[in-house]
Amino acid sequence: MRVLVFLILCLPVAGFSADRSVSPSEFESIVTDKTLSYSIQGVEYGAEEYFGSRRVRWSYLDGECEDGEWYPKGEQVCFVYDALPSPQCWQFYLRDDRLLARFENNPDATELYELDRREEPLMCLGPKVGV
């Protein structure tokens, strides 16, 4: 029995990894010219396409897209969009080689987790047109 307990204690802890903070410059090198999809608590939430010059395009994956830009603010990355000009600031971390975004670096606030990273652009329908 003691041998079994000893062997169990010697096993590496599988799946454990600490979140590593990502600076805005590292964030830029990870995301530029990529499209990342994000989830909240395991449910797909939306995707963002990252262009050069810190320009972005966000979609809730409904075919509508919102253009904006991001800028560094200390260790956070802040986003402003044409339809939402007030800054939305996030602290980014790496967890298992995927980005984790914590809103305003508050552990009790919204966290987005990267589901996918690809080079294809977002699917955006044209602007709404009325009759």
Side-chain angles (χ1 to χ4, degrees):
M1 182 66 164
R2 281 189 232 169
V3 173
L4 180 59
V5 171
F6 175 76
L7 290 174
I8 290 172
L9 292 175
C10 291
L11 290 174
V13 179
F16 174 77
S17 63
D19 298 340
R20 183 178 66 76
S21 182
V22 172
S23 70
S25 61
E26 185 179 6
F27 171 80
E28 185 170 26
S29 70
I30 291 170
V31 303
T32 300
D33 298 325
K34 302 282 190 274
T35 300
L36 279 69
S37 59
Y38 294 97
S39 68
I40 293 179
Q41 297 178 345
V43 177
E44 192 167 34
Y45 180 71
E48 191 144 47
E49 187 173 356
Y50 299 89
F51 304 97
S53 302
R54 299 180 176 169
R55 293 176 307 110
V56 295
R57 180 171 295 138
W58 171 262
S59 175
Y60 288 104
L61 305 174
D62 58 1
E64 293 187 32
C65 296
E66 186 63 43
D67 289 328
E69 59 186 44
W70 71 269
Y71 62 91
K73 181 180 177 187
E75 287 301 304
Q76 294 185 355
V77 174
C78 298
F79 296 84
V80 291
Y81 299 92
D82 295 346
L84 184 64
S86 60
Q88 308 294 308
C89 297
W90 302 79
Q91 175 70 49
F92 283 86
Y93 299 87
L94 275 178
R95 177 185 290 169
D96 300 324
D97 294 324
R98 294 182 184 263
L99 287 173
L100 168 73
R102 185 170 291 136
F103 187 65
E104 296 182 345
N105 202 22
N106 178 350
D108 297 325
T110 301
E111 284 188 349
L112 297 177
Y113 187 70
E114 177 189 342
L115 287 175
D116 184 48
R117 188 180 308 170
R118 60 189 184 280
E119 294 184 10
E120 293 81 23
L122 284 173
M123 167 121 32
C124 299
L125 304 175
K128 291 183 181 179
V129 290
V131 178

